[in-house]
Amino acid sequence: MGVNSNRVEDSSSPSDNNTNETIIRISSELSTRQTMEIHNVCLPPQKTTCQKLKHRLSEIFFPDDPLHRFKNQEWCKKLLLGLQFFFPIFQWGPQYNLNLLRSDVISGLTIASLAIPQGISYAKLANLPPIVGLYSSFVPPLIYSILGSSRHLGVGPVSIASLVMGSMLQEAVSYTQDPILYLKLAFTATFFAGVFQASLGLLRLGFIIDFLSKATLIGFMAGAAVIVSLQQLKGLLGIVHFTTKMQFIPVMSSVFSHRDEWSWQTVVLGFSFLVFLLSTRHISMTKPKLFWLSAAAPLTSVILSTLLVFCIKSKAHGISIIGHLPKGLNPPSSNMLYFNGAFLAVAVKTGLVTGILSLTEGIAVGRTFASLKNYQVDGNKEMMAIGFMNMAGSCTSCYVTTGSFSRSAVNYNAGAQTAVSNIVMASAVLVTLLFLMPLFYYTPNVILGAIIITAVIGLIDYQSAYKLWKVDKLDFIACLCSFFGVLFISVPLGLAIAVAISVFKILLHVTRPNTVVLGNIAGTQIYHSLSRYRDAQRVSSFLILAVESPIYFANSTYLQDRILRWVHEEEEWIKANNGRTLKCIILDMTAVTAIDTSGIDMVRELRKMLEKRSLQLVLVNPVGSVMEKLHQSKVLESFRLNGLYLTVAEAVSDISSLWKAHA
């Protein structure tokens, strides 16, 4: 039999050697009819402000405790662990062997066959010279292979980042009228994207990119994929004068207003290879063992279309070609970085947006394939690796790169074992840059459009959108808003809408938290939601409420109003059903993970308001930090006797016993 009292137990030890626990008791009379032991509600162990701040910061910035491996190690071992921490290549390099090399060479050459045509195509998508796309498939993969923690990530230009960079930069500078300035801004945006990405990793602020929820990303990616595909109608139809706008209506208007420029040779060639590329993609998706078909299809299309145009060059005047591409390694571009002038703000803004998008895609792709092979990808290391490779890329004529899903999927299916596959791919690109560039002279631009459409069509994930509709209607609405924002407004504003919707969802959950009425499962001491469990029954004279969120300044007023409304509704229900008079409101705070001063004031005011109506407020199971703040603010002293309990069952049993004793 326990003591019938509202008591707070301090579980911390005094500073001296006295091990007796300090107990703060608010006494009340004993009940002779008590049927349940009443437990103490403990305060958390006492900590200094510095200790609390250190613990909080470690939970925010170091949830994975990255330094645990350095504990109790000799200095030479710590040095080795430090090298492995910052350069993952030292982690798997010592165990590398010929069998792994054979697998990596095969996968590296396979993704090179995909990376070369994609690099040229995505550079055109960003309104950059095609050679820049190949440059971006050479230097960044080499840097990532040293710094990256993913074994399967295929690094290079990606469609979404290319589209966003092209659409944002062309709003300020015309790539046809001032191509040098446009190129400078592209390299500068890449530099700032790298600085932003590396800073997030170094400062361990990766949670910032989590503001792009999966639902909004699904809509954004689908909208961007549609816009990218529609933009390729310029090449597929052979249109010369095409709009530079990236919205659905202007693009479609431009397509049909320039019907006189349509070239039947281009249409036949483009759609023939588009059907071929889509067919190989479908075969590879239905039969994963034939993944090499979709991987080899883009390069095969480039070779065949180039040979075809070369053979009929005297008759193929309506088919535009890539033309001359310079041979040689990446030229240095550090002298082209644009750090002052009227367009610096545009470069910075473009870098931040493309940096966020490429980082989100790269980390998501890396974690996807890591989960398939049961190893972990360190998000902060990935941010630093992607950031440093973009910073280095901006100085070697590269634009924004990250992990590509299509290349990574091919890399995984081809049997890649380590990041050496990226080195092999970069070596193949190097050979292409040094010796094979003249072979691309007659490559038709229309084939690049077909390759882009085939690559981005996989971003339209209608199955995930349907799942959102079935599971969470609010997420589905967020997905639609993001999709139509990109489609009809603009790509940057569509991204802004996606972020705004994600933040709005967070604010909605924080400012309008869920509260439920609990009832007792007959024959047990378990209390669950009345609306969810049919076996749950109301307890006479009690209203038991559970708050399922922290109590902050943003939701304290709402919670007070909502609790009073629950009280009013309960009194009406009692009146309609001739029940016993309501006497006590029990607030289950198990799910209240935090509380601030506004929340504490709300609890104090709520107690006063209920007391005026002859109702008792009881708190149940506040967590450690909440309990500590309630105790320090002396709110608990203002409660009646028997105002704090460990469980709902103990509260109901003890208060009922008191009522019976008083009766």
Side-chain angles (χ1 to χ4, degrees):
M1 184 177 294
V3 179
N4 180 15
S5 65
N6 174 5
R7 61 197 182 190
V8 180
E9 180 178 323
D10 188 350
S11 63
S12 62
S13 300
S15 57
D16 56 16
N17 295 327
N18 183 7
T19 58
N20 294 330
E21 294 181 341
T22 303
I23 300 179
I24 305 169
R25 300 173 185 269
I26 305 175
S27 302
S28 71
E29 61 182 307
L30 298 177
S31 171
T32 58
R33 303 185 61 180
Q34 187 172 357
T35 60
M36 180 182 295
E37 182 180 0
I38 308 302
H39 296 87
N40 298 331
V41 181
C42 295
L43 286 168
Q46 288 184 359
K47 292 182 180 179
T48 65
T49 302
C50 290
Q51 288 175 326
K52 292 177 183 177
L53 181 61
K54 180 182 177 181
H55 175 73
R56 187 60 181 156
L57 290 177
S58 67
E59 289 297 312
I60 294 174
F61 297 108
F62 303 98
D64 54 343
D65 191 14
L67 301 179
H68 75 280
R69 68 182 71 182
F70 295 93
K71 295 177 181 177
N72 303 321
Q73 299 287 348
E74 296 180 358
W75 69 269
C76 55
K77 181 66 173 178
K78 287 182 179 180
L79 178 61
L80 178 61
L81 290 173
L83 284 173
Q84 292 177 349
F85 181 79
F86 290 105
F87 303 98
I89 191 171
F90 288 105
Q91 199 166 359
W92 51 263
Q95 289 82 36
Y96 202 73
N97 56 48
L98 287 176
N99 288 331
L100 296 177
L101 178 62
R102 182 179 59 184
S103 300
D104 288 335
V105 167
I106 294 172
S107 57
L109 293 175
T110 305
I111 58 173
S113 67
L114 180 64
I116 292 170
Q118 276 192 353
I120 296 172
S121 304
Y122 291 158
K124 296 280 286 183
L125 188 60
N127 303 319
L128 294 168
I131 191 66
V132 175
L134 287 180
Y135 291 156
S136 303
S137 299
F138 172 53
V139 173
L142 292 177
I143 296 173
Y144 182 83
S145 64
I146 298 172
L147 300 176
S149 59
S150 173
R151 304 172 196 166
H152 301 96
L153 200 66
V155 174
V158 292
S159 57
I160 298 300
S162 302
L163 168 69
V164 172
M165 175 173 282
S167 62
M168 292 185 72
L169 291 182
Q170 75 178 5
E171 291 178 359
V173 178
S174 171
Y175 62 92
T176 55
Q177 297 177 2
D178 199 344
I180 301 300
L181 177 59
Y182 188 91
L183 197 59
K184 287 182 177 181
L185 294 181
F187 293 152
T188 308
T190 301
F191 177 80
F192 281 112
V195 170
F196 175 69
Q197 293 165 335
S199 300
L200 289 182
L202 288 169
L203 300 176
R204 305 186 71 84
L205 297 174
F207 58 85
I208 291 176
I209 65 172
D210 293 335
F211 280 100
L212 280 173
S213 68
K214 184 178 180 180
T216 53
L217 275 176
I218 290 171
F220 175 80
M221 294 291 191
V226 172
I227 288 295
V228 169
S229 301
L230 293 178
Q231 276 283 336
Q232 303 319 304
L233 291 176
K234 173 187 177 181
L236 287 174
L237 300 176
I239 299 174
V240 179
H241 303 91
F242 200 74
T243 181
T244 58
K245 295 181 179 179
M246 303 296 289
Q247 295 87 18
F248 178 81
I249 294 175
V251 170
M252 295 308 298
S253 175
S254 183
V255 168
F256 290 104
S257 62
H258 295 94
R259 283 173 295 180
D260 55 317
E261 296 182 8
W262 292 10
S263 168
W264 69 268
Q265 300 103 318
T266 304
V267 172
V268 171
L269 182 65
F271 280 94
S272 298
F273 278 101
L274 180 61
V275 170
F276 167 70
L277 289 167
L278 292 175
S279 299
T280 56
R281 179 180 180 274
H282 177 72
I283 292 171
S284 297
M285 288 180 65
T286 53
K287 298 180 179 179
K289 290 184 178 180
L290 298 177
F291 70 92
W292 54 269
L293 281 177
S294 61
L299 187 58
T300 303
S301 300
V302 168
I303 295 172
L304 293 177
S305 62
T306 302
L307 289 173
L308 181 62
V309 172
F310 176 76
C311 293
I312 62 170
K313 58 184 177 181
S314 59
K315 300 179 182 179
H317 299 295
I319 301 176
S320 65
I321 58 176
I322 290 178
H324 174 70
L325 293 177
K327 290 197 298 182
L329 293 176
N330 302 32
S333 58
S334 55
N335 61 323
M336 296 185 70
L337 296 180
Y338 185 95
F339 290 131
N340 52 55
F343 300 105
L344 179 61
V346 175
V348 173
K349 183 173 70 173
T350 304
L352 292 178
V353 173
T354 54
I356 291 174
L357 283 175
S358 58
L359 201 58
T360 304
E361 181 174 356
I363 292 177
V365 172
R367 285 176 173 168
T368 298
F369 291 102
S371 65
L372 296 176
K373 284 293 185 178
N374 196 28
Y375 69 94
Q376 277 191 325
V377 167
D378 189 322
N380 289 293
K381 286 184 187 177
E382 290 297 287
M383 292 176 198
M384 289 189 285
I386 294 173
F388 286 132
M389 79 180 186
N390 277 319
M391 291 169 66
S394 67
C395 300
T396 53
S397 301
C398 305
Y399 77 108
V400 174
T401 53
T402 187
S404 163
F405 184 82
S406 57
R407 258 166 293 198
S408 301
V410 170
N411 200 26
Y412 175 83
N413 289 322
Q417 299 297 318
T418 67
V420 170
S421 59
N422 275 300
I423 298 176
V424 175
M425 179 192 73
S427 303
V429 174
L430 173 62
V431 172
T432 304
L433 287 170
L434 292 176
F435 306 110
L436 305 180
M437 298 315 297
L439 300 179
F440 291 97
Y441 184 89
Y442 286 102
T443 300
N445 284 314
V446 64
I447 206 66
L448 303 182
I451 291 171
I452 290 173
I453 291 175
T454 307
V456 302
I457 200 169
L459 298 176
I460 305 175
D461 193 354
Y462 64 89
Q463 292 180 333
S464 293
Y466 178 72
K467 189 180 294 184
L468 291 176
W469 167 257
K470 297 289 289 184
V471 175
D472 191 328
K473 300 297 189 293
L474 187 60
D475 268 354
F476 180 74
I477 293 172
C479 175
L480 282 185
C481 290
S482 180
F483 175 77
F484 288 115
V486 172
L487 210 58
F488 292 102
I489 303 176
S490 71
V491 175
L493 284 178
L495 180 62
I497 290 172
V499 174
I501 291 172
S502 299
V503 173
F504 174 75
K505 282 184 61 186
I506 295 172
L507 292 175
L508 190 62
H509 288 301
V510 170
T511 60
R512 294 296 182 267
N514 192 35
T515 57
V516 294
V517 180
L518 305 182
N520 177 242
I521 305 295
T524 71
Q525 296 177 8
I526 299 172
Y527 289 79
H528 273 301
S529 171
L530 285 173
S531 60
R532 183 180 172 190
Y533 292 91
R534 293 182 180 179
D535 294 339
Q537 300 174 354
R538 279 180 164 85
V539 181
S540 298
S541 302
F542 288 93
L543 173 60
I544 307 168
L545 298 173
V547 179
E548 298 179 341
S549 83
I551 302 177
Y552 289 129
F553 65 93
N555 62 22
S556 58
T557 302
Y558 167 80
L559 282 173
Q560 179 176 295
D561 294 340
R562 190 66 186 91
I563 291 171
L564 292 175
R565 179 181 160 193
W566 279 122
V567 172
H568 177 69
E569 291 175 352
E570 184 70 11
E571 288 175 336
E572 287 188 341
W573 185 90
I574 290 172
K575 185 177 180 181
N577 293 273
N578 296 321
R580 293 184 181 179
T581 305
L582 182 62
K583 297 180 182 179
C584 181
I585 287 82
I586 296 177
L587 201 60
D588 186 355
M589 303 182 73
T590 303
V592 179
T593 56
I595 193 169
D596 66 359
T597 52
S598 298
I600 292 170
D601 290 339
M602 185 277 288
V603 174
R604 184 184 288 113
E605 290 299 318
L606 181 64
R607 186 200 62 78
K608 291 179 181 178
M609 296 173 73
L610 293 175
E611 193 175 54
K612 290 178 181 178
R613 299 167 65 170
S614 300
L615 296 172
Q616 179 184 359
L617 178 63
V618 173
L619 306 182
V620 167
N621 194 29
V623 298
S625 60
V626 175
M627 183 65 195
E628 185 178 27
K629 290 182 179 180
L630 291 174
H631 176 62
Q632 290 175 345
S633 64
K634 302 190 184 303
V635 168
L636 297 178
E637 294 181 3
S638 65
F639 274 69
R640 278 189 188 181
L641 305 177
N642 306 87
L644 182 66
Y645 290 89
L646 187 62
T647 67
V648 174
E650 290 181 10
V652 171
S653 175
D654 192 43
I655 295 172
S656 299
S657 298
L658 277 176
W659 289 344
K660 292 176 182 177
H662 290 160

